[in-house]
Amino acid sequence: MAEAYITGSFYTIQMTNIWNTQYWHDECRNWQEANWRAFVTDQHEIGIDTLINKQMSLWTRPLFPDPEHKSGMPLKLGCDDPAGVVADEADKLGMKVWYGLGMYGRDSEVGDYQGLSKPWPEIWFQWNQALCERIMERYSHTKSFAGLYLPLELSGDPAYGDTRLNEDHVELYRRWIHESIRPIAGKVPLLTSPGILHPGNYDILAGQLETLGVDIVAYQDYGGRGLNTPEDYARIDRAAKAFELLAPVHEKVGVKLWANCETFCRGEQSVWREVCFPGEIDRIIHQLKVCSPPVEKVITWIYQGVMNKRTELVNIGPDTANELYYQYVEYLDNTYPNVRK
């Protein structure tokens, strides 16, 4: 049973979706070492002990040094190796870091491959293996290294009431893991964060989880998929019921269960595309309280640009992100006074 506060967060160096992440994408591209260190320290101070890198490559360009271009030509950034700086600071603070592998489409070797449907391009598996090799060589020796994150988001199967995962997605995962990842990473833990399933009979899901090849599943609670409306609470409560029913299934098959409680809200404003905005603190507290009891750990998408403390070094997010940070700190101080460092 997890406590009702956030102990892990995703972070991005750069993402394909520059609209969704527009409140931090451009600034973080130019961040230098001091910025990344402050970014890690700020999260540690509010009880976050785990950082999950969303992806270590963009448009087949690694977001870390790769002099031989085995996984592509590195993207030019303000800091030569942001992930290395994050790892070093996490080492000092006793935190853990996960590293995101390849996605699809513009995040991968295959520019016109935008989905998870068959046929799967062979080069995609080969490129993912090369990326895995580079990540393992560069970061697996660090004290903070926790494992690898699989950013392809599995989804439910509507034909089964979304009580099981899409079987094609599961098949892709099995092949991806057993052909591209395990030969390089061995028994390194693997984490994934699919959409939440609906409450129901999970007999088929149990078999899928047994063969999927991952060690931890952090289902998204979908709490941030609207603009802070009553419908958000309905989705959150349905997710909480699903977590309750999923817990014994995960325990039986030996796959850890985490909750990914979304701290953002999403909507179209003047930018014509959906954007991550800070969510409302009352909704977030509700998420934490109802989703945490059945799970081992609560993580979030995302501290960065949505609920971060704005400082001279961490110069990201709208003003409301800074407001949400201090509202969350007040919640921590009133409910878990020993969490803040």
Side-chain angles (χ1 to χ4, degrees):
M1 174 178 176
E3 299 286 1
Y5 66 90
I6 298 163
T7 58
S9 180
F10 287 89
Y11 84 94
T12 69
I13 298 171
Q14 291 285 275
M15 268 187 69
T16 297
N17 191 335
I18 61 175
W19 304 277
N20 196 259
T21 62
Q22 66 186 258
Y23 282 112
W24 66 90
H25 182 92
D26 296 333
E27 290 85 355
C28 292
R29 180 190 307 119
N30 296 309
W31 268 6
Q32 298 182 6
E33 181 175 326
N35 304 94
W36 286 109
R37 290 192 184 278
F39 172 69
V40 176
T41 302
D42 287 352
Q43 292 178 79
H44 178 258
E45 289 176 352
I46 60 170
I48 292 176
D49 59 25
T50 301
L51 299 175
I52 306 156
N53 178 278
K54 173 69 172 177
Q55 62 194 68
M56 290 290 286
S57 178
L58 175 67
W59 293 63
T60 330
R61 300 189 67 179
L63 303 173
F64 58 92
D66 185 1
E68 297 178 352
H69 298 176
K70 291 183 177 179
S71 58
M73 180 181 291
L75 193 68
K76 187 174 182 179
L77 302 164
C79 175
D80 182 55
D81 185 8
V85 173
V86 168
D88 184 64
E89 196 65 23
D91 285 352
K92 297 175 183 177
L93 298 172
M95 299 170 71
K96 292 298 181 183
V97 182
W98 297 77
Y99 296 82
L101 290 176
M103 292 181 70
Y104 52 83
R106 297 186 180 98
D107 282 338
S108 78
E109 176 71 25
V110 190
D112 58 355
Y113 177 52
Q114 298 295 338
L116 302 180
S117 58
K118 299 178 180 177
W120 302 310
E122 291 298 319
I123 195 171
W124 186 82
F125 297 98
Q126 297 164 11
W127 171 75
N128 261 281
Q129 187 169 74
L131 184 63
C132 183
E133 288 175 347
R134 302 287 80 73
I135 291 172
M136 290 295 296
E137 288 173 0
R138 192 165 189 89
Y139 305 105
S140 64
H141 66 282
T142 60
K143 291 189 298 183
S144 57
F145 182 80
L148 300 171
Y149 172 65
L150 309 182
L152 281 178
E153 293 184 2
L154 298 161
S155 63
D157 189 336
Y160 288 81
D162 288 315
T163 59
R164 55 166 281 183
L165 298 170
N166 180 296
E167 187 55 43
D168 281 353
H169 297 182
V170 171
E171 184 182 346
L172 172 61
Y173 253 63
R174 292 191 193 110
R175 184 176 171 193
W176 184 21
I177 290 169
H178 295 299
E179 292 186 14
S180 301
I181 301 173
R182 289 300 182 198
I184 304 301
K187 295 182 179 180
V188 163
L190 302 179
L191 165 67
T192 192
S193 185
I196 188 64
L197 298 174
H198 287 183
N201 185 319
Y202 297 132
D203 287 347
I204 295 176
L205 173 68
Q208 292 178 317
L209 290 172
E210 284 184 309
T211 62
L212 191 60
V214 300
D215 301 278
I216 305 170
V217 179
Y219 298 94
Q220 305 163 32
D221 73 347
Y222 285 171
R225 300 308 168 105
L227 273 172
N228 296 313
T229 64
E231 288 76 17
D232 295 337
Y233 284 83
R235 287 194 305 276
I236 293 162
D237 291 340
R238 184 173 62 203
K241 181 62 178 179
F243 281 122
E244 179 184 340
L245 297 173
L246 285 164
V249 177
H250 275 256
E251 183 177 8
K252 181 179 179 180
V253 301
V255 176
K256 292 182 180 181
L257 175 65
W258 292 3
N260 179 2
C261 291
E262 299 171 339
T263 47
F264 64 92
C265 66
R266 176 182 287 175
E268 294 182 1
Q269 293 199 359
S270 60
V271 293
W272 302 102
R273 286 180 178 265
E274 290 185 337
V275 178
C276 277
F277 298 103
E280 291 184 349
I281 187 63
D282 290 346
R283 189 209 78 202
I284 293 167
I285 292 172
H286 180 71
Q287 291 171 260
L288 297 174
K289 287 182 175 179
V290 300
C291 291
S292 61
V295 306
E296 294 189 36
K297 189 175 184 68
V298 176
I299 63 174
T300 189
W301 178 276
I302 187 173
Y303 172 89
Q304 184 179 13
V306 168
M307 60 174 294
N308 62 269
K309 176 172 62 173
R310 282 188 61 96
T311 65
E312 184 177 349
L313 288 173
V314 184
N315 57 336
I316 55 174
D319 291 340
T320 47
N322 195 57
E323 293 172 13
L324 179 57
Y325 171 85
Y326 284 105
Q327 290 169 340
Y328 179 70
V329 164
E330 182 180 9
Y331 164 72
L332 282 182
D333 288 348
N334 290 335
T335 314
Y336 299 100
N338 297 321
V339 168
R340 283 215 295 151
K341 307 296 188 290

